[in-house]
Amino acid sequence: MISVLRRVSVSLSISSRPFPPSKLLMDPTNCFGGSERLTALARHSACGFCGIRDPDRPPAETFRPKRAAVLVCLFEGDGGDLRVILTKRSSKLSTHSEEGDADDAETATREANEEIGLDPSLVNVVTVLEPFLSKHLLRVIPVIGILSNRIAFNPAPNADEVEAVFDAPLEMFIQDENRSEEEREWMGEKYLIHHFNYETEGTKYVIWGLTAGILIRAASVVYQRPPAFLEQNPKFKVPRLVDKDTIMP
């Protein structure tokens, strides 16, 4: 999953409005190098996944968290499994706000290009998922995309933002292997933070927190089944008074 920092102001109000048709992959027949799995996924996505929601503009008096979009970029691995591109963030990264993107899909693909050199023309955006709330009360919109040409993608990470680029099997995020959890509380509601341990090419990674939560949801939607463990997401209640230092535990 590729982090995105480009933000615009919206609220917690959401509706069942589908993702704009112009941004869906309408003719996936020849886009994925003959992969039946990716073609089927794209067609299924274009018809609309259950539970997809897109935020509406809120009433003026409601709390307005910042908004971000994050690209969940999938491709088919050598063994025929679906895999997701992930990044290890740089500790030198400084966040900033920018406006001007047409929509969440443009935000997500543009940032992926800037962060790891992923050409937006190689990504077929198929849908968005319901928003997540980060611990800094940032509203994060997952954008699901499919890498149409794996060979054409040569990662070129921006050293100021990304330390490493790797990929992992998407299905692992609904399996109960190499997973741990910790219980936390937010405004009287208990929730779980999930940690997934993954090793590739001799390097160990821990995928946790918001990233893990988004990938659990993405895998559940793609594979059309719930995780093999209790998910227990936080309920997105926002305190009446918030400032720049307000964070979830």
Side-chain angles (χ1 to χ4, degrees):
M1 186 178 70
I2 303 163
S3 301
V4 174
L5 304 170
R6 205 177 301 272
R7 308 170 188 172
V8 293
S9 179
V10 297
S11 82
L12 294 175
S13 174
I14 49 181
S15 74
S16 58
R17 187 178 61 203
F19 194 64
S22 62
K23 293 299 180 181
L24 292 174
L25 181 61
M26 291 303 183
D27 185 15
T29 306
N30 298 312
C31 293
F32 306 113
S35 170
E36 294 182 2
R37 174 179 284 236
L38 291 183
T39 299
L41 173 60
R43 282 177 171 157
H44 180 59
S45 304
C47 294
F49 280 129
C50 177
I52 296 170
R53 296 179 292 176
D54 187 38
D56 279 330
R57 186 169 296 278
E61 66 274 9
T62 60
F63 169 66
R64 292 171 175 262
K66 294 287 188 177
R67 174 175 177 153
V70 61
L71 180 63
V72 181
C73 189
L74 307 177
F75 68 93
E76 188 171 51
D78 293 335
D81 59 328
L82 288 177
R83 303 185 70 85
V84 58
I85 298 173
L86 298 167
T87 62
K88 180 180 179 182
R89 306 295 297 174
S90 171
S91 59
K92 298 181 291 184
L93 180 64
S94 60
T95 61
H96 60 283
S97 299
E98 295 182 30
E99 299 184 4
D101 288 329
D103 52 32
D104 296 318
E106 184 175 322
T107 297
T109 54
R110 177 180 296 183
E111 281 289 341
N113 186 27
E114 294 176 1
E115 291 181 359
I116 64 171
L118 178 55
D119 189 335
S121 68
L122 297 177
V123 180
N124 291 276
V125 172
V126 292
T127 195
V128 295
L129 302 182
E130 72 275 11
F132 283 72
L133 195 66
S134 77
K135 71 175 184 179
H136 294 286
L137 304 185
L138 174 67
R139 185 187 182 89
V140 180
I141 314 296
V143 176
I144 305 295
I146 298 175
L147 183 62
S148 61
N149 189 336
R150 176 183 169 192
I151 297 176
F153 172 48
N154 296 307
N158 181 336
D160 290 333
E161 299 190 17
V162 173
E163 289 187 7
V165 181
F166 63 103
D167 59 82
L170 180 66
E171 193 173 14
M172 74 178 249
F173 296 101
I174 52 174
Q175 296 173 336
D176 202 15
E177 302 171 5
N178 302 314
R179 186 195 67 88
S180 61
E181 64 189 42
E182 57 180 297
E183 186 178 74
R184 296 191 184 181
E185 187 171 326
W186 170 249
M187 296 185 66
E189 298 284 349
K190 293 182 179 180
Y191 66 97
L192 295 177
I193 290 189
H194 302 275
H195 299 247
F196 293 88
N197 296 303
Y198 182 67
E199 183 174 354
T200 179
E201 297 182 350
T203 302
K204 295 180 180 180
Y205 298 96
V206 179
I207 304 153
W208 68 289
L210 179 65
T211 300
I214 289 175
L215 292 173
I216 290 169
R217 177 57 181 155
S220 297
V221 168
V222 169
Y223 287 99
Q224 293 290 286
R225 70 176 190 268
F229 49 84
L230 178 63
E231 197 171 357
Q232 196 170 332
N233 290 320
K235 296 182 179 178
F236 295 155
K237 297 194 300 183
V238 179
R240 289 180 176 274
L241 297 176
V242 297
D243 57 36
K244 63 182 179 63
D245 297 318
T246 301
I247 63 172
M248 294 175 66

